[in-house]
Amino acid sequence: MAMLSGVSLTNEKSYMVGKFARLALKTANLDYNGRLCMVSAGAGNKKAFGLDRSSNSWEDLKHAEVILIAGANVSETFPTLIHYIWEARDHGAKLIVVDPRVTPIARTADIFLPVRPGTDSALFGAMLKVLADNDWLDHEFIEKHTSGFEDTLDAVKDYTLEWAEEITGVPAHRILEAATLWGKAATSFLMHARGIEHHTKGVDNVLGCINLVLATGRIGKPYCGYGTITGQGNGQGGREHGHKCDQLPGNRDITNPEHRQYIAKVWGVEEKEIPGKGLSAFEIIDAIHRDEIKGLISICFNPLVSLPNSNYVRAALEKLEYFVAIDFFLSETAHHADIVMAGSLHEEEEGTVTTAEGRVVRIRAAVTPPGKARKDSDIIMELAKRLGAEDKFTYADSEAVFNELRVASKGGTADYYGITYKKIEDNMGIFWPCPTEDHPGTPRLWEDFQFKTPDGKAHFNPVPYRESAEVPDEQFPVRLTTGRVVSQYLSGTQTRRIGKLVDQSPYPQLEIHPELAAKYGITTGDLVRVHTRRPRLNSRLWLWKPFVPTPYSYPITGAEKWRLTSSPTVRSTPFPKFPNLKPPLVS
Amino acid sequence: MPDNTSGEPMEFFIDMQRCIGCNACEMACAECETNGQESMIHIHYVDRPFSVQTTVQVCMHCEEPACANVCPADAITLGADGIVHTAKTSHCIGCSNCVLACPFGVPKKSDTKELMMKCNMCYDRTSVGKKPMCATVCPSQALYFGTRTEIAEKRPNSIPVNHFGFGNENVKTKVNIMMPKGYSFLKVK
Ligand code: SF4
Ligand code: SF4
């Protein structure tokens, strides 16, 4: 048996699913769709800081001198963040954007660094070297509060600007300009998202960014911050409370005996009744193919659309002996289920979510589930009852679930114990960690410079540059990267039902630089077929000059913006099991 | 409750530089349903293959509205408060004169409804001190509805401009476009 879950669930539902899979289904194999999303960021953050949360409230962003955004098409994927960025810029902040494409926010940047897909860590390495060469370093901070600086510097000692230009395609003088702006600033905020994280070396890219922040000591102070931008409705809270294959509530480790003991006590079971570490999302699909998993329950996850290689996923779903899908609409995945249970939308149940800033906020039930649809939590409780675990799922309402979650998270790194519904209400949300009821919460982390790593220091991590899992060759000479459109959300289960949103981007589009298009003799509106090492894609073409601002040197970048289609690759990294979504190659 | 209690009148300020093309304004306008699911604000790419720059078009509410001046049916009226109202359904004959006359390209003729349709700055809302729908959702605040004092405080580097030149014609509008400091006139070529 296995279960798949999703990060658009509220904190309460995420917590319930984690407990349900372990105690009612009695399976270790529970994982979530965040596996396709932010795990690289989470892993990088844990390595460097021992904690996975944006370091600051975005209020700090409004007063930063320099803002660096890497691999984040925030205008299409997080429009509400733009307001903070513009407010900072109205007061003189400078904006640096790293992206292979001129996204709408990149268009307005003071310095735009158009990297070749997959070369981000070379750029960050060269910037770090500029900081060191010019002594734009915070020696006191590095000395007292960090470790690993020497080795990290050593790893970039040969990364000259010229070398970086060669690798990344960004002109050396622009890299220098950006590093100078970053180096000389008194306050700064760095943010990144899937653009640098969706790689087999996503963790390298994340650590490359963190190294720039640590070298200048601009963290834990007013207007100095760092954070990854979450993807889903509850991208932050949904990865903290135990519906990941290796996690227990409060961001606890399922392999840690003390953590297991504690949660066993909260759940009123023996420690050995909690299964160990299970398979990750894609491994579950593999295990279905190997006949090791025969039954599956999914909630809030549309793997047929969001996991790479939809043919492979479809075959797995068809192979299952028993498949139950809980979803609010009949998604592509739910079509393959033996039983579909009509669940609830965000707007149909009370609860909390944790924002990209780490702020826990309330979600309200505005409407009740229509017809025979039921609240997700009711469905889970009913299933638990039928599986003989009724006594573990006796919640009167979402607040009762939250109160149990508070206790379960107590003492963990994501400590919610001091957060109550009332406090959230009275304070426009509360930032975790919040260990006691009289604690105000923590909008800005690390003000005491006590990091959550074993030695209490922030860790620099050496990032020697390595090539992407695939590099252009004769057979596949063109890089393909993926992007999102503003009108579609996640796998589109909700947004592809709304006519006006569909009208905005009715089909997947391939965007390509005019010079490359000329080479292939194709133009805007043509139907093109793209061959990759994976299944081929059919798409309409858009000429798209803003890809490569120095088009004469390497007009080989192509990009695909798809609403939905079979996704290109299935290669996984050993850690953190992230498939190589960017950048596959095409011919 | 009105959105402004200072007594200073609220005005519309539009900064196209800030627009990120998210289309939230179009959705909000359409969802409000005053215009039957059609958006009266229009977002367009200037030249998509070459730039992601978008333009934002609402009715500028001209002091001497060309649309009203050319309307043979007296369907379009200018209110005392400077709002140029959308064509009265009882009067509009669907001749499209206004569509051709407007220098900003605002009115659209609905073929199904045989009627001119354009933005009336959410008259039902703004006349009672509320902000237009689009301005309440714009995440970049490219669409800002508020007082002159507020905009001066919030945008120290730019200035509202409501004087436009189209060839030899000068047009003054109720709606302002934000320009870099130092400008007071926008010549449209
Ligand atoms: S902008 Fe066009 S539609 Fe609006 S008042 Fe002026 S002429 Fe009329
Ligand atoms: S809501 Fe604002 S940013 Fe979005 S398209 Fe409209 S004007 Fe532009």
Side-chain angles (χ1 to χ4, degrees), chain B residues 1 19 21 29 67 77 84 92 109 114 117 124 126 129 145 153 166 185-186:
Chain B
M1 250 274 283
C19 176
C29 185
C67 58
T77 51
V84 179
C92 179
K109 194 181 127 217
E114 271 296 319
M117 295 177 82
D124 52 342
T126 49
F145 197 80
E153 257 171 42
F166 295 90
F185 184 73
L186 177 60

PDB file of all heavy atoms in Angstrom, chain B residues 1 19 21 29 67 77 84 92 109 114 117 124 126 129 145 153 166 185-186:
ATOM      1  N   MET B   1     -18.188  51.076   3.504  1.00  0.00           N
ATOM      2  CA  MET B   1     -17.173  52.059   3.938  1.00  0.00           C
ATOM      3  C   MET B   1     -16.354  52.531   2.746  1.00  0.00           C
ATOM      4  O   MET B   1     -15.796  51.721   2.023  1.00  0.00           O
ATOM      5  CB  MET B   1     -16.221  51.383   4.933  1.00  0.00           C
ATOM      6  CG  MET B   1     -16.362  51.880   6.354  1.00  0.00           C
ATOM      7  SD  MET B   1     -15.397  53.344   6.750  1.00  0.00           S
ATOM      8  CE  MET B   1     -13.737  52.701   6.939  1.00  0.00           C
ATOM      9  N   CYS B  19       3.729  47.150 -14.793  1.00  0.00           N
ATOM     10  CA  CYS B  19       2.805  46.069 -15.156  1.00  0.00           C
ATOM     11  C   CYS B  19       3.584  44.797 -15.488  1.00  0.00           C
ATOM     12  O   CYS B  19       4.554  44.819 -16.230  1.00  0.00           O
ATOM     13  CB  CYS B  19       1.946  46.479 -16.336  1.00  0.00           C
ATOM     14  SG  CYS B  19       0.873  45.138 -16.896  1.00  0.00           S
ATOM     15  N   GLY B  21       1.890  42.044 -16.573  1.00  0.00           N
ATOM     16  CA  GLY B  21       1.064  41.254 -17.497  1.00  0.00           C
ATOM     17  C   GLY B  21       0.353  40.079 -16.859  1.00  0.00           C
ATOM     18  O   GLY B  21       0.099  39.075 -17.508  1.00  0.00           O
ATOM     19  N   CYS B  29     -12.207  42.545 -13.478  1.00  0.00           N
ATOM     20  CA  CYS B  29     -13.207  43.338 -14.185  1.00  0.00           C
ATOM     21  C   CYS B  29     -14.304  42.420 -14.725  1.00  0.00           C
ATOM     22  O   CYS B  29     -15.492  42.702 -14.583  1.00  0.00           O
ATOM     23  CB  CYS B  29     -12.545  44.117 -15.314  1.00  0.00           C
ATOM     24  SG  CYS B  29     -13.666  45.248 -16.153  1.00  0.00           S
ATOM     25  N   CYS B  67     -14.922  60.427 -28.182  1.00  0.00           N
ATOM     26  CA  CYS B  67     -15.962  59.402 -28.345  1.00  0.00           C
ATOM     27  C   CYS B  67     -17.354  60.017 -28.265  1.00  0.00           C
ATOM     28  O   CYS B  67     -18.220  59.752 -29.095  1.00  0.00           O
ATOM     29  CB  CYS B  67     -15.794  58.304 -27.294  1.00  0.00           C
ATOM     30  SG  CYS B  67     -15.856  58.914 -25.603  1.00  0.00           S
ATOM     31  N   THR B  77     -22.195  60.152 -22.542  1.00  0.00           N
ATOM     32  CA  THR B  77     -22.298  61.440 -21.855  1.00  0.00           C
ATOM     33  C   THR B  77     -21.123  61.649 -20.912  1.00  0.00           C
ATOM     34  O   THR B  77     -20.537  60.702 -20.405  1.00  0.00           O
ATOM     35  CB  THR B  77     -23.597  61.514 -21.021  1.00  0.00           C
ATOM     36  OG1 THR B  77     -23.651  60.343 -20.202  1.00  0.00           O
ATOM     37  CG2 THR B  77     -24.823  61.576 -21.902  1.00  0.00           C
ATOM     38  N   VAL B  84     -16.641  59.821 -18.138  1.00  0.00           N
ATOM     39  CA  VAL B  84     -17.288  59.647 -19.432  1.00  0.00           C
ATOM     40  C   VAL B  84     -17.998  58.297 -19.386  1.00  0.00           C
ATOM     41  O   VAL B  84     -17.350  57.257 -19.264  1.00  0.00           O
ATOM     42  CB  VAL B  84     -16.254  59.689 -20.578  1.00  0.00           C
ATOM     43  CG1 VAL B  84     -16.957  59.491 -21.922  1.00  0.00           C
ATOM     44  CG2 VAL B  84     -15.492  61.004 -20.562  1.00  0.00           C
ATOM     45  N   CYS B  92     -27.472  53.789 -28.047  1.00  0.00           N
ATOM     46  CA  CYS B  92     -26.379  53.349 -28.922  1.00  0.00           C
ATOM     47  C   CYS B  92     -26.907  52.598 -30.142  1.00  0.00           C
ATOM     48  O   CYS B  92     -27.735  51.693 -30.017  1.00  0.00           O
ATOM     49  CB  CYS B  92     -25.425  52.458 -28.142  1.00  0.00           C
ATOM     50  SG  CYS B  92     -24.063  51.835 -29.133  1.00  0.00           S
ATOM     51  N   LYS B 109     -16.600  47.610 -29.857  1.00  0.00           N
ATOM     52  CA  LYS B 109     -17.999  47.346 -30.178  1.00  0.00           C
ATOM     53  C   LYS B 109     -18.271  45.864 -29.992  1.00  0.00           C
ATOM     54  O   LYS B 109     -17.557  45.021 -30.518  1.00  0.00           O
ATOM     55  CB  LYS B 109     -18.328  47.763 -31.589  1.00  0.00           C
ATOM     56  CG  LYS B 109     -19.838  47.783 -31.750  1.00  0.00           C
ATOM     57  CD  LYS B 109     -20.299  48.152 -33.112  1.00  0.00           C
ATOM     58  CE  LYS B 109     -21.240  47.049 -33.550  1.00  0.00           C
ATOM     59  NZ  LYS B 109     -21.122  46.754 -34.951  1.00  0.00           N
ATOM     60  N   GLU B 114     -24.375  44.476 -30.228  1.00  0.00           N
ATOM     61  CA  GLU B 114     -24.589  45.659 -31.074  1.00  0.00           C
ATOM     62  C   GLU B 114     -24.489  46.922 -30.225  1.00  0.00           C
ATOM     63  O   GLU B 114     -25.360  47.782 -30.252  1.00  0.00           O
ATOM     64  CB  GLU B 114     -25.965  45.594 -31.756  1.00  0.00           C
ATOM     65  CG  GLU B 114     -25.963  44.872 -33.103  1.00  0.00           C
ATOM     66  CD  GLU B 114     -25.108  45.578 -34.155  1.00  0.00           C
ATOM     67  OE1 GLU B 114     -25.171  46.808 -34.210  1.00  0.00           O
ATOM     68  OE2 GLU B 114     -24.355  44.888 -34.878  1.00  0.00           O
ATOM     69  N   MET B 117     -18.933  49.260 -25.809  1.00  0.00           N
ATOM     70  CA  MET B 117     -18.667  49.007 -24.394  1.00  0.00           C
ATOM     71  C   MET B 117     -17.316  49.586 -24.025  1.00  0.00           C
ATOM     72  O   MET B 117     -16.354  49.423 -24.768  1.00  0.00           O
ATOM     73  CB  MET B 117     -18.669  47.497 -24.124  1.00  0.00           C
ATOM     74  CG  MET B 117     -20.036  46.865 -24.353  1.00  0.00           C
ATOM     75  SD  MET B 117     -20.017  45.098 -24.112  1.00  0.00           S
ATOM     76  CE  MET B 117     -20.152  45.005 -22.335  1.00  0.00           C
ATOM     77  N   ASP B 124     -20.197  52.601 -10.331  1.00  0.00           N
ATOM     78  CA  ASP B 124     -20.970  52.164  -9.160  1.00  0.00           C
ATOM     79  C   ASP B 124     -20.117  52.148  -7.898  1.00  0.00           C
ATOM     80  O   ASP B 124     -20.607  52.335  -6.798  1.00  0.00           O
ATOM     81  CB  ASP B 124     -21.586  50.772  -9.420  1.00  0.00           C
ATOM     82  CG  ASP B 124     -20.560  49.747  -9.893  1.00  0.00           C
ATOM     83  OD1 ASP B 124     -19.462  50.157 -10.355  1.00  0.00           O
ATOM     84  OD2 ASP B 124     -20.843  48.539  -9.811  1.00  0.00           O
ATOM     85  N   THR B 126     -16.706  53.884  -7.654  1.00  0.00           N
ATOM     86  CA  THR B 126     -15.963  55.129  -7.411  1.00  0.00           C
ATOM     87  C   THR B 126     -16.882  56.276  -6.988  1.00  0.00           C
ATOM     88  O   THR B 126     -16.471  57.157  -6.250  1.00  0.00           O
ATOM     89  CB  THR B 126     -15.136  55.536  -8.648  1.00  0.00           C
ATOM     90  OG1 THR B 126     -15.967  55.480  -9.805  1.00  0.00           O
ATOM     91  CG2 THR B 126     -13.958  54.616  -8.848  1.00  0.00           C
ATOM     92  N   GLY B 129     -16.961  56.374  -3.320  1.00  0.00           N
ATOM     93  CA  GLY B 129     -15.690  56.412  -2.588  1.00  0.00           C
ATOM     94  C   GLY B 129     -14.934  55.098  -2.541  1.00  0.00           C
ATOM     95  O   GLY B 129     -14.013  54.932  -1.742  1.00  0.00           O
ATOM     96  N   PHE B 145      -5.206  53.595  -7.266  1.00  0.00           N
ATOM     97  CA  PHE B 145      -6.312  54.528  -7.104  1.00  0.00           C
ATOM     98  C   PHE B 145      -6.205  55.125  -5.715  1.00  0.00           C
ATOM     99  O   PHE B 145      -6.308  54.428  -4.712  1.00  0.00           O
ATOM    100  CB  PHE B 145      -7.654  53.807  -7.290  1.00  0.00           C
ATOM    101  CG  PHE B 145      -8.804  54.739  -7.548  1.00  0.00           C
ATOM    102  CD1 PHE B 145      -9.011  55.266  -8.812  1.00  0.00           C
ATOM    103  CD2 PHE B 145      -9.677  55.084  -6.525  1.00  0.00           C
ATOM    104  CE1 PHE B 145     -10.077  56.133  -9.059  1.00  0.00           C
ATOM    105  CE2 PHE B 145     -10.742  55.955  -6.763  1.00  0.00           C
ATOM    106  CZ  PHE B 145     -10.949  56.479  -8.034  1.00  0.00           C
ATOM    107  N   GLU B 153       3.950  60.502  -2.052  1.00  0.00           N
ATOM    108  CA  GLU B 153       4.733  59.852  -0.997  1.00  0.00           C
ATOM    109  C   GLU B 153       5.275  58.502  -1.440  1.00  0.00           C
ATOM    110  O   GLU B 153       6.415  58.159  -1.203  1.00  0.00           O
ATOM    111  CB  GLU B 153       3.814  59.583   0.194  1.00  0.00           C
ATOM    112  CG  GLU B 153       3.976  60.533   1.337  1.00  0.00           C
ATOM    113  CD  GLU B 153       2.874  60.302   2.347  1.00  0.00           C
ATOM    114  OE1 GLU B 153       2.539  59.133   2.631  1.00  0.00           O
ATOM    115  OE2 GLU B 153       2.316  61.314   2.836  1.00  0.00           O
ATOM    116  N   PHE B 166      -1.383  63.896 -29.577  1.00  0.00           N
ATOM    117  CA  PHE B 166      -1.511  62.971 -30.712  1.00  0.00           C
ATOM    118  C   PHE B 166      -1.451  63.834 -31.956  1.00  0.00           C
ATOM    119  O   PHE B 166      -2.418  64.534 -32.273  1.00  0.00           O
ATOM    120  CB  PHE B 166      -2.856  62.238 -30.673  1.00  0.00           C
ATOM    121  CG  PHE B 166      -3.017  61.329 -29.488  1.00  0.00           C
ATOM    122  CD1 PHE B 166      -3.560  61.803 -28.300  1.00  0.00           C
ATOM    123  CD2 PHE B 166      -2.637  59.998 -29.572  1.00  0.00           C
ATOM    124  CE1 PHE B 166      -3.712  60.967 -27.205  1.00  0.00           C
ATOM    125  CE2 PHE B 166      -2.793  59.154 -28.476  1.00  0.00           C
ATOM    126  CZ  PHE B 166      -3.328  59.639 -27.295  1.00  0.00           C
ATOM    127  N   PHE B 185       4.256  66.025 -20.026  1.00  0.00           N
ATOM    128  CA  PHE B 185       3.509  65.874 -21.270  1.00  0.00           C
ATOM    129  C   PHE B 185       3.972  64.587 -21.942  1.00  0.00           C
ATOM    130  O   PHE B 185       5.158  64.262 -21.922  1.00  0.00           O
ATOM    131  CB  PHE B 185       3.834  67.086 -22.166  1.00  0.00           C
ATOM    132  CG  PHE B 185       3.056  67.122 -23.454  1.00  0.00           C
ATOM    133  CD1 PHE B 185       1.699  67.435 -23.464  1.00  0.00           C
ATOM    134  CD2 PHE B 185       3.687  66.865 -24.669  1.00  0.00           C
ATOM    135  CE1 PHE B 185       0.992  67.490 -24.654  1.00  0.00           C
ATOM    136  CE2 PHE B 185       2.979  66.921 -25.866  1.00  0.00           C
ATOM    137  CZ  PHE B 185       1.631  67.237 -25.857  1.00  0.00           C
ATOM    138  N   LEU B 186       3.046  63.837 -22.507  1.00  0.00           N
ATOM    139  CA  LEU B 186       3.436  62.608 -23.210  1.00  0.00           C
ATOM    140  C   LEU B 186       3.013  62.714 -24.665  1.00  0.00           C
ATOM    141  O   LEU B 186       1.825  62.853 -24.973  1.00  0.00           O
ATOM    142  CB  LEU B 186       2.782  61.392 -22.551  1.00  0.00           C
ATOM    143  CG  LEU B 186       3.028  60.033 -23.223  1.00  0.00           C
ATOM    144  CD1 LEU B 186       4.513  59.695 -23.277  1.00  0.00           C
ATOM    145  CD2 LEU B 186       2.300  58.935 -22.455  1.00  0.00           C
TER     146      LEU B 186
END
